Amino acid sequence: MAVAPAATTQGWRSPVNRTPQSRRAALMLASLLTSLLLLLHCLASPPRSTSRRAAADEHEFDSRRRLEWTGVGEAAGYPASRRSSRVLADQLEAPEKRAEAAGILLAPELAVADRRVSPRLAGRLSPLGEGVKKLPQALIVGVKKGGTRALLEFLRVHPDIRAVGAEPHFFDRNYHNGLEWYRDLMPKTLEGQITMEKTPSYFVTKEAPARISAMSRGTKLIVVVRDPVTRAISDYTQTLSKKPDIQSFENLTFKNKTTALIDTSWSAIQIGIYAKHLDNWLQYFPMEQILFVSGERLISDPAGELGRVQDFLGLKRIITDKHFYFNQTKGFPCLKKAEGSSKPHCLGKTKGRTHPDIRPEVVRRLRDFYRPFNMKFYQMTTHNFGWDD
């Protein structure tokens, strides 16, 4: 049987008949081609996580990277150890918890202003509709027995105002507790709503203006003022209801009845020296950030005074005459419908107490005492409140 001649080096060789060197070259080429195909596949379709844990790790890494970019992660004090994506998502969706841990404010507008949170994430920091707790943008700072409670109750009717009912006394008695303690007392507000509180003793507290300015120089201040003589008598009446054995109004008013020297150390007298206290506030706040509400007009024309307050706060005039009726028995205006209720609402029994009889001579001497301070106050506020007419 004839045997076929062997193929020449120039012709095609069977794989069986390849030399060891050619086989190694072929394997290397095949390996390179395989690696190239795998690389192209990875670039076209990134590998997906193959387990729930891997997916959680991938989400956590992405979330951490965003937090590092915004600076929130560092401010919140996240530990170096890894957390589950569920915990991290909760941190992102619950701004109050994260603020409590971090000691920062997470209200979108405040956080963005402080550059602590990226504008890209600011709107996502709280679940839609729940709101967040913010430090107040406006304060009713005084004065005691001027009509601050009435003003606050009237303002709470406005849908864009959220206010604390009780007096926090933060800037006079509780400042040592810190701003986070104070913020936690506030109600939750939505975007566009104003947070408020009222504590009348702030106006006569020497440290209050500096402390409020340190919180925010843009805070709007409201002062409800009233004829200082009537205010002093009302102040005494409140004290008398709690301490029936106190001295008479006349004895407390004068250091010496013979000389008729007024005792300015008595708080009921001191509060009414409005010009003196206002001087202290003007060291920290411009006059355009302070609104003075007439306690007398708050009774005679509540809608008119509330209109001025709404304008001052930059709010639409929603509270109008239709919200009030005058209660002849109490001698005060009342709300036809209170906040969150369909029933009429008047101030409590502690408001509108009957004043004790004061001798006309005592009242006259008090008016003489207050007159120069009133005139100075009129000049400072560019408004004549008519207490000396």
Side-chain angles (χ1 to χ4, degrees):
M1 176 185 241
V3 178
T8 65
T9 55
Q10 289 82 8
W12 176 83
R13 285 180 182 271
S14 169
V16 177
N17 296 323
R18 287 183 180 178
T19 64
Q21 292 83 356
S22 64
R23 282 199 299 271
R24 283 196 296 271
L27 287 173
M28 290 177 63
L29 180 60
S31 177
L32 288 172
L33 288 172
T34 302
S35 299
L36 181 60
L37 288 173
L38 288 172
L39 179 60
L40 291 173
H41 177 72
C42 291
L43 292 174
S45 302
R48 296 182 180 179
S49 302
T50 57
S51 67
R52 290 185 178 180
R53 180 62 200 171
D57 290 344
E58 181 179 341
H59 174 73
E60 180 178 349
F61 173 78
D62 181 64
S63 298
R64 282 182 180 277
R65 184 168 55 187
R66 283 184 291 158
L67 288 173
E68 289 171 2
W69 177 76
T70 62
V72 174
E74 182 180 357
Y78 288 128
S81 61
R82 296 162 65 86
R83 292 186 179 187
S84 70
S85 62
R86 181 188 180 101
V87 171
L88 194 60
D90 288 344
Q91 296 272 8
L92 283 170
E93 293 175 1
E96 291 177 45
K97 293 181 181 178
R98 185 149 55 84
E100 184 177 352
I104 61 175
L105 298 176
L106 291 184
E109 62 272 23
L110 292 180
V112 173
D114 284 347
R115 298 181 182 178
R116 292 173 180 166
V117 179
S118 161
R120 182 168 62 90
L121 295 179
R124 308 181 199 172
L125 294 177
S126 63
L128 182 63
E130 290 189 8
V132 293
K133 292 187 176 184
K134 298 181 291 186
L135 292 172
Q137 299 103 314
L139 298 172
I140 300 175
V141 298
V143 298
K144 181 183 179 184
K145 307 311 295 178
T148 58
R149 172 56 59 183
L151 178 61
L152 184 70
E153 292 299 315
F154 296 162
L155 282 174
R156 292 175 74 175
V157 174
H158 200 292
D160 290 334
I161 291 178
R162 300 282 285 134
V164 182
E167 296 175 4
H169 283 280
F170 176 64
F171 295 105
D172 56 353
R173 303 176 189 170
N174 297 305
Y175 195 65
H176 61 279
N177 289 324
L179 283 174
E180 281 306 305
W181 176 89
Y182 183 47
R183 186 190 68 89
D184 195 52
L185 299 178
M186 300 299 124
K188 291 183 178 180
T189 54
L190 301 174
E191 184 178 355
Q193 290 183 319
I194 292 177
T195 304
M196 290 187 68
E197 69 110 324
K198 77 104 176 173
T199 303
S201 54
Y202 290 163
F203 189 65
V204 297
T205 300
K206 185 178 180 180
E207 300 81 9
R211 291 171 175 177
I212 295 172
S213 178
M215 176 187 73
S216 173
R217 292 181 180 179
T219 305
K220 293 188 175 182
L221 309 170
I222 301 174
V223 187
V224 187
V225 289
R226 183 183 182 187
D227 180 340
V229 176
T230 308
R231 197 221 65 82
I233 296 172
S234 179
D235 196 339
Y236 172 79
T237 304
Q238 183 182 55
T239 305
L240 183 63
S241 68
K242 299 175 182 178
K243 300 178 180 179
D245 57 340
I246 63 170
Q247 299 182 52
S248 68
F249 179 84
E250 186 170 340
N251 286 342
L252 292 170
T253 298
F254 300 109
K255 286 184 177 180
N256 187 309
K257 288 185 179 181
T258 304
T259 60
L261 184 64
I262 303 294
D263 187 358
T264 57
S265 66
W266 184 30
S267 63
I269 299 296
Q270 189 181 87
I271 291 173
I273 309 175
Y274 302 140
K276 173 186 173 182
H277 305 302
L278 181 55
D279 262 333
N280 188 31
W281 287 89
L282 293 179
Q283 304 301 312
Y284 299 91
F285 292 94
M287 187 65 81
E288 55 266 24
Q289 273 179 236
I290 308 175
L291 178 70
F292 296 92
V293 174
S294 167
E296 288 82 13
R297 281 181 53 81
L298 200 56
I299 295 174
S300 63
D301 181 20
E305 286 300 280
L306 265 293
R308 294 179 59 241
V309 177
Q310 291 170 93
D311 291 345
F312 175 69
L313 296 175
L315 299 174
K316 182 179 179 181
R317 285 198 177 196
I318 291 178
I319 306 172
T320 61
D321 282 322
K322 66 182 181 181
H323 289 90
F324 301 98
Y325 74 94
F326 194 83
N327 186 304
Q328 297 292 340
T329 302
K330 294 186 71 69
F332 283 97
C334 299
L335 289 168
K336 292 181 180 178
K337 292 182 181 180
E339 178 196 25
S341 173
S342 60
K343 298 180 180 179
H345 172 70
C346 288
L347 298 179
K349 295 179 180 179
T350 60
K351 306 300 178 182
R353 296 185 184 96
T354 302
H355 290 180
D357 291 330
I358 308 296
R359 289 197 305 121
E361 176 63 18
V362 175
V363 174
R364 185 187 65 78
R365 291 194 177 188
L366 267 179
R367 293 207 177 280
D368 290 341
F369 167 77
Y370 278 120
R371 186 170 290 108
F373 297 110
N374 290 345
M375 294 299 133
K376 176 65 175 176
F377 186 65
Y378 298 166
Q379 292 174 359
M380 296 171 76
T381 61
T382 66
H383 182 78
N384 187 332
F385 290 88
W387 301 323
D388 302 283
D389 296 343

